[in-house]
Amino acid sequence: MTNETKNQGADAPSDFIRDIVAAHAAAGTYHKIITRFPPEPNGYLHIGHAKSICLNFGIAREFYGICNLRMDDTNPAKEDVEYVDSITADVKWLIAGWADHVLGLKPTGKTPEIQMVDGRKDFHLAAKVGGGSSVGLEPFYASDYFEQIYEYALQLIHKGAAYVCDLTLKDMDEYRGSPDRPGKESPYRNRSMEENLDLFTRMKAGEFPDGARTLRSKIDMASPNIWLRDPVLYRIRHAEHHHTGAAWCIYPMYDFAHCLSDYIEGITHSICTLEFEVHRPLYDWILGHLGLTRPMPHQYEFARLSLGYTVMSKRKLMQLVNEKMVTGWDDPRMPTISGIRRRGVTAPALRNFAYHIGVTKYNGVTDVAVLEHAVREDLNKNALRRLAVLRPIKVVITNYPEGQVAELDAVNNPEDPAAGSRKVPFSRVLFIDRDDFMEVPPPKYFRLRPGGEVRLKYAYIIKCDQVVKDAVGAVSELHCTADLESKTGGATSSRKVKGTIHWVSAAHAIEAEVRLYDRLFTEENPEADGRDFRTVINPHSLEVLTAKLEPSLQDARGDLRYQFERLGYFCLDRDSAPGRLVFNRTITLKDTWAKEAKKA
């Protein structure tokens, strides 16, 4: 394969779908490889969608193609412009600087053009690629094809391949049968073409109430594939649509609209998750019965992403939101892309996970530790180091002069020498984390204790001389002495102590709300054995603290990531305001869940 058909510099993974596309590219089967990412706008995208985004956009990127962003919006009862906006934002965020140059959009308001091919009318809507700019462009919408899809339905009626059925949904299910029991034909199956045309046009005109009639394909009620037993193509639904308003009262079913949308856009490889494998014969049947003039798309299926300690059903995620178990779709504990973004995971980290976890035909569960490793690996390289104390306890350095302030050097990122260093103030009164002191410590405890020594990061070795307690017996402050020659460059700087802890100067510290997020569920499979997933929600998935931070964090930015040294990775939350900083913990420095699992 040459560079003209395959982007050798893309560092792409290898899998069976890419092998198919590579063969087509090498053979010149298609003028251009065109994929699509077609979510239904009935909820926010989740991490499972990230795998599909990275696969579809990755293939377009690797093979110099296009990947269309399309809203498969055929169900007005569940869809909303809020979801359209969130989907668009999430996709653009995830592919920015990586595959935005292959993002296929359409001119705003543009609908398919009519063209004549071999004397027959055809519909086509080509993508525009903005090279990162989407000014004047918008996603594709299946609802923009409603007129064309309706015309295709009329063609099927004319060919005797579709009929209007008056069975109720309950009766239709009964007539359809089961996998081990063949169905029986609807009593309305053999209506004349004229009657079907009359009834269908009257359905469109709004003469009948919801559920009174459907348009069904005429395939085979004895087919072993239950999806071929005269599936419904159109249903009546008197409902406002987020994109078309009240223009329609009949709406195509997903299976009917999906394949025709692919055709109209010139999709070459329609890549779906594995549950659509049984739908592929219907996909091919619809396209094959319409006598279409241009090359037809083909559907390929792969195993969807299942991730431990999560649920990814949109219905269940909506349940979490509606029942206020989380604060919204973008709650940082949610597996939604918007939640993951808000938690502080970067697009490169999520792409690295989703792009390289593998594409197979076999369902399985991916260990959430794989995702967490990708996040830590990215943040370790890029996060700025800062000092922060989450649960402050006061420390007085009794031999350090009152009023004296030293500016100590602290590195910004040991993984990146180019990140340089900064100054942090040191004074007589400090804060350390309460977790770094114990009056009666266990064996091998190397942090501060009465009579014990630790090194303050970037500063001095200190020794705890006195423990001061409040009226109820709780430790309120520690009095310590510092070895004032133990700082870098000092006479005793090489003296070894086993523990190093972080700190902030009390006089210079700024306060911030810090939200410690953790996994939303306590079990790897929240739905194991049919249990209610809500019964295993982690009661400790969020802890809110008032922390003390080094003063440089007053200028924290939302586009940067920070490692609070020894504590974890953090980002500035959108709830922050002047004088009120809010930080979210993205992830701990180490996998604390693995340690707990070993104890069990």
Side-chain angles (χ1 to χ4, degrees):
M1 184 177 298
T2 68
N3 281 335
E4 284 71 38
T5 58
K6 180 71 163 63
N7 183 358
Q8 301 286 3
D11 188 28
S14 177
D15 54 69
F16 76 98
I17 291 181
R18 285 181 167 87
D19 290 345
I20 293 169
V21 178
H24 291 160
T29 306
Y30 302 101
H31 172 68
K32 183 179 283 290
I33 301 299
I34 306 178
T35 61
R36 82 289 172 272
F37 175 64
E40 182 182 355
N42 62 352
Y44 281 55
L45 298 182
H46 54 62
I47 193 168
H49 294 109
K51 178 178 179 179
S52 181
I53 293 168
C54 289
L55 175 59
N56 281 286
F57 279 93
I59 286 173
R61 173 177 175 265
E62 294 152 31
F63 293 92
Y64 302 101
I66 298 172
C67 180
N68 289 357
L69 172 59
R70 178 173 76 232
M71 305 298 159
D72 268 344
D73 54 346
T74 61
N75 186 352
K78 295 184 177 181
E79 297 158 355
D80 193 274
V81 69
E82 174 192 352
Y83 302 136
V84 172
D85 292 343
S86 71
I87 289 168
T88 304
D90 285 345
V91 170
K92 288 184 176 181
W93 171 79
L94 186 56
I95 68 171
W98 175 70
D100 44 4
H101 62 290
V102 300
L103 169 61
L105 301 171
K106 71 179 182 70
T108 302
K110 181 79 171 175
T111 56
E113 295 177 346
I114 300 174
Q115 55 189 27
M116 300 304 294
V117 180
D118 297 330
R120 289 178 290 174
K121 186 162 65 173
D122 190 59
F123 307 108
H124 183 49
L125 183 55
K128 298 287 186 182
V129 180
S133 172
S134 57
V135 176
L137 301 175
E138 66 178 358
F140 292 85
Y141 292 87
S143 57
D144 278 333
Y145 315 147
F146 280 174
E147 192 64 49
Q148 292 75 33
I149 294 170
Y150 176 76
E151 287 201 33
Y152 286 130
L154 292 176
Q155 289 183 36
L156 290 179
I157 294 173
H158 276 286
K159 292 173 178 286
Y163 63 97
V164 174
C165 182
D166 296 358
L167 289 177
T168 65
L169 291 179
K170 180 180 178 182
D171 288 341
M172 199 180 302
D173 284 340
E174 178 62 29
Y175 273 58
R176 186 176 288 118
S178 62
D180 56 358
R181 177 172 58 87
K184 63 179 181 178
E185 294 183 356
S186 165
Y188 308 100
R189 194 174 197 263
N190 295 312
R191 278 173 162 157
S192 68
M193 179 191 70
E194 291 77 14
E195 185 179 5
N196 284 320
L197 288 173
D198 173 66
L199 290 172
F200 189 50
T201 54
R202 289 164 64 191
M203 285 169 59
K204 180 178 180 289
E207 290 190 25
F208 309 118
D210 289 0
R213 289 188 162 94
T214 58
L215 181 72
R216 299 175 66 181
S217 54
K218 188 184 288 188
I219 307 181
D220 182 4
M221 292 303 295
S223 172
N225 184 341
I226 203 165
W227 294 100
L228 295 181
R229 295 181 187 177
D230 291 10
V232 173
L233 303 179
Y234 266 91
R235 75 282 207 200
I236 301 170
R237 182 160 287 169
H238 293 269
E240 288 271 336
H241 188 279
H242 77 94
H243 192 61
T244 61
W248 293 85
C249 64
I250 57 170
Y251 291 93
M253 300 298 290
Y254 173 84
D255 279 335
F256 191 47
H258 181 76
C259 60
L260 293 172
S261 299
D262 284 349
Y263 175 75
I264 289 169
E265 294 173 21
I267 303 303
T268 57
H269 298 77
S270 182
I271 302 169
C272 301
T273 45
L274 205 56
E275 67 267 27
F276 288 98
E277 186 173 30
V278 291
H279 296 243
R280 188 182 349 129
L282 177 57
Y283 184 102
D284 294 339
W285 183 93
I286 292 168
L287 296 176
H289 275 70
L290 286 169
L292 301 171
T293 57
R294 290 181 289 112
M296 288 188 285
H298 292 275
Q299 180 177 302
Y300 307 89
E301 306 86 18
F302 70 100
R304 70 191 310 164
L305 171 64
S306 294
L307 191 66
Y309 293 94
T310 62
V311 294
M312 285 191 282
S313 155
K314 281 185 182 178
R315 180 179 62 81
K316 292 182 173 68
L317 295 177
M318 187 170 288
Q319 194 173 355
L320 289 171
V321 173
N322 290 342
E323 295 180 11
K324 301 190 184 305
M325 298 178 184
V326 293
T327 58
W329 284 98
D330 67 346
D331 186 303
R333 293 166 292 180
M334 290 279 274
T336 55
I337 293 179
S338 59
I340 291 167
R341 290 174 63 187
R342 188 173 179 187
R343 187 154 171 169
V345 175
T346 67
L350 185 54
R351 280 201 308 266
N352 187 52
F353 166 73
Y355 191 54
H356 291 99
I357 53 175
V359 176
T360 70
K361 274 276 191 181
Y362 307 101
N363 286 318
V365 177
T366 299
D367 190 337
V368 71
V370 178
L371 169 63
E372 293 171 344
H373 172 75
V375 173
R376 288 190 180 98
E377 186 176 50
D378 171 75
L379 293 176
N380 184 51
K381 293 176 183 175
N382 299 297
L384 297 172
R385 274 45 170 182
R386 294 294 184 263
L387 296 175
V389 173
L390 300 185
R391 299 172 179 86
I393 182 172
K394 185 184 290 187
V395 171
V396 179
I397 309 297
T398 55
N399 64 329
Y400 197 83
E402 290 192 37
Q404 181 171 314
V405 177
E407 295 287 332
L408 306 182
D409 288 319
V411 297
N412 286 326
N413 188 334
E415 302 292 322
D416 179 14
S421 63
R422 69 195 187 283
K423 297 291 186 181
V424 291
F426 182 91
S427 63
R428 177 183 172 91
V429 182
L430 311 173
F431 290 118
I432 68 168
D433 251 306
R434 193 167 292 272
D435 293 344
D436 283 334
F437 172 79
M438 290 187 73
E439 269 195 287
V440 184
K444 297 184 179 180
Y445 181 84
F446 300 126
R447 286 169 281 178
L448 195 58
R449 58 184 172 181
E453 289 186 316
V454 295
R455 179 176 289 279
L456 298 177
K457 182 86 173 183
Y458 307 119
Y460 307 98
I461 294 171
I462 63 170
K463 179 179 179 181
C464 180
D465 303 313
Q466 181 183 359
V467 179
V468 179
K469 298 184 179 182
D470 60 20
V472 296
V475 176
S476 59
E477 64 181 67
L478 306 173
H479 290 182
C480 300
T481 51
D483 178 352
L484 297 177
E485 294 297 321
S486 62
K487 183 168 67 69
T488 300
T492 59
S493 60
S494 61
R495 188 159 69 86
K496 302 296 184 182
V497 291
K498 290 188 174 180
T500 299
I501 65 174
H502 58 280
W503 54 275
V504 293
S505 168
H508 303 88
I510 59 174
E511 276 195 352
E513 179 180 309
V514 174
R515 299 169 180 172
L516 302 181
Y517 289 104
D518 205 342
R519 296 177 185 176
L520 187 56
F521 298 98
T522 58
E523 297 289 337
E524 182 177 29
N525 183 358
E527 300 171 277
D529 302 319
R531 70 182 165 206
D532 184 340
F533 68 98
R534 294 170 298 180
T535 63
V536 290
I537 286 182
N538 180 7
H540 307 296
S541 63
L542 172 60
E543 183 180 4
V544 181
L545 303 172
T546 299
K548 304 287 187 178
L549 315 179
E550 70 168 77
S552 70
L553 284 167
Q554 185 66 57
D555 300 319
R557 289 165 31 189
D559 61 331
L560 297 178
R561 300 295 178 265
Y562 303 92
Q563 184 196 105
F564 291 178
E565 297 209 38
R566 300 180 63 239
L567 299 174
Y569 296 100
F570 293 77
C571 70
L572 194 68
D573 186 75
R574 62 173 172 78
D575 285 346
S576 294
R580 181 179 178 271
L581 296 177
V582 179
F583 286 89
N584 297 331
R585 183 173 68 187
T586 305
I587 198 167
T588 54
L589 291 181
K590 297 180 180 179
D591 185 353
T592 56
W593 286 75
K595 185 186 295 185
E596 292 302 314
K598 287 180 181 177
K599 289 180 184 178

